[in-house]
Amino acid sequence: MSMSSALLGSLLFILFVLPDHVTARHKPKFRPGPWKHAHATFYEGGSGSFGGACGYHDVVQEGYGLDTVALSDTLFNNGQSCGACYDIQCVDSPQWCKPGQPTLHVTATNHCPPNYNLPSDNGGWCNAPREHFDIAKPVFLNIAEYKAGIVPIIYRRVQCQKRGGIRFTITGNPYFNEVLVWNVGGAGDVISVQVKGHDKLKWTTMKRMWGQRWITDAKLVGESLTFRVEASDKRRSTSWHIAPQNWQFGQTFEGKNFR
């Protein structure tokens, strides 16, 4: 083969093969979604309860602060939306909305259960198919007055800005491994978690137990662990060998975050 033919072949490879490879590995950053109309209420609780249905232990200690929200059935999506971030503004209610329509930036950390004993427009605010936000009471006051009870809002999905890397808290026992995935940037919500060891454990897909708690009965003990997380925007983040070979249950390890 002549040098010119070899060069042409290399160029064709770059033009037709490499772009797909690059696109798969370097997807664009998460972009805000469109503004949509919904309603919001508030609920009582604290740092240890505002993360209930998503499995977070303490939303303040885990970096979410009290800027959190419980999602209605339709938005919660069986726990897949845990960790997603939203901008919320109170609108069309001058009596109750705060002046200037300030924007509340919240992370989904809980579930607002439906109440089908009440009408969807009168108490059953979180019944399907309503898109509804039940905001942590300490921050609801940032956008509206408590006396309102329920207010009309506009909302949109936005990128999650988190400090540091994705955290993996490992609990359970040698025969039942449970991993809580938290502090996720980018899209914020996780749709897939894989784990790999340095020796015998090959790439293993974990199952969602509930919220952002993931489980596997594969043998993790004694392996240096690597985690791969996939978010709802199909971006992946791989954290290589972040748990040493002698890791212990109850420990938390920090990996690579989305930017």
Side-chain angles (χ1 to χ4, degrees):
M1 180 183 293
S2 67
M3 184 176 295
S4 60
S5 298
L7 180 60
L8 178 60
S10 298
L11 289 173
L12 289 174
F13 174 82
I14 293 173
L15 289 172
F16 294 104
V17 178
L18 194 55
D20 291 335
H21 178 70
V22 171
T23 301
R25 294 178 64 88
H26 302 285
K27 293 181 180 295
K29 292 183 178 181
F30 186 85
R31 294 182 178 180
W35 287 98
K36 298 180 179 180
H37 288 270
H39 285 81
T41 48
F42 64 85
Y43 73 111
E44 306 277 357
S47 61
S49 60
F50 285 141
C54 289
Y56 303 127
H57 297 290
D58 187 306
V59 293
V60 172
Q61 291 184 8
E62 293 168 352
Y64 298 106
L66 295 178
D67 299 293
T68 62
V69 67
L71 302 178
S72 63
D73 249 12
T74 299
L75 291 171
F76 190 67
N77 197 18
N78 294 318
Q80 182 175 306
S81 296
C82 290
C85 296
Y86 300 86
D87 279 346
I88 296 177
Q89 291 181 351
C90 180
V91 296
D92 302 328
S93 186
Q95 181 183 4
W96 302 120
C97 294
K98 287 301 178 74
Q101 293 184 348
T103 299
L104 183 62
H105 180 78
V106 293
T107 303
T109 62
N110 213 344
H111 175 224
C112 179
N115 182 357
Y116 292 112
N117 292 320
L118 296 175
S120 296
D121 59 352
N122 188 18
W125 309 121
C126 292
N127 296 350
R130 286 179 63 95
E131 294 186 347
H132 187 86
F133 295 81
D134 204 17
I135 301 171
K137 184 178 179 180
V139 296
F140 180 85
L141 189 61
N142 293 338
I143 61 169
E145 299 293 341
Y146 290 149
K147 291 182 179 180
I150 181 171
V151 293
I153 63 165
I154 55 173
Y155 78 94
R156 64 174 180 173
R157 276 285 302 274
V158 294
Q159 181 177 351
C160 296
Q161 303 286 348
K162 303 301 179 186
R163 294 183 179 180
I166 297 176
R167 307 303 208 279
F168 302 86
T169 300
I170 308 174
T171 56
N173 58 62
Y175 309 101
F176 181 83
N177 306 275
E178 180 181 333
V179 178
L180 172 63
V181 183
W182 52 284
N183 200 56
V184 182
D189 51 345
V190 176
I191 63 170
S192 173
V193 177
Q194 293 178 296
V195 62
K196 180 184 181 301
H198 76 288
D199 187 16
K200 296 180 180 180
L201 181 65
K202 308 303 179 184
W203 280 116
T204 300
T205 300
M206 304 188 73
K207 297 179 181 179
R208 187 193 303 275
M209 184 170 67
W210 55 281
Q212 286 301 353
R213 292 178 178 267
W214 301 79
I215 58 173
T216 180
D217 58 3
K219 185 178 179 181
L220 306 188
V221 174
E223 297 266 8
S224 172
L225 301 179
T226 294
F227 290 96
R228 177 171 291 160
V229 170
E230 182 177 354
S232 61
D233 60 355
K234 302 301 182 181
R235 295 177 73 207
R236 292 182 177 182
S237 174
T238 303
S239 302
W240 293 97
H241 306 297
I242 58 170
Q245 193 171 346
N246 63 344
W247 63 267
Q248 301 292 317
F249 289 104
Q251 291 182 317
T252 297
F253 303 96
E254 183 174 353
K256 181 182 178 183
N257 218 330
F258 297 99
R259 300 300 179 191

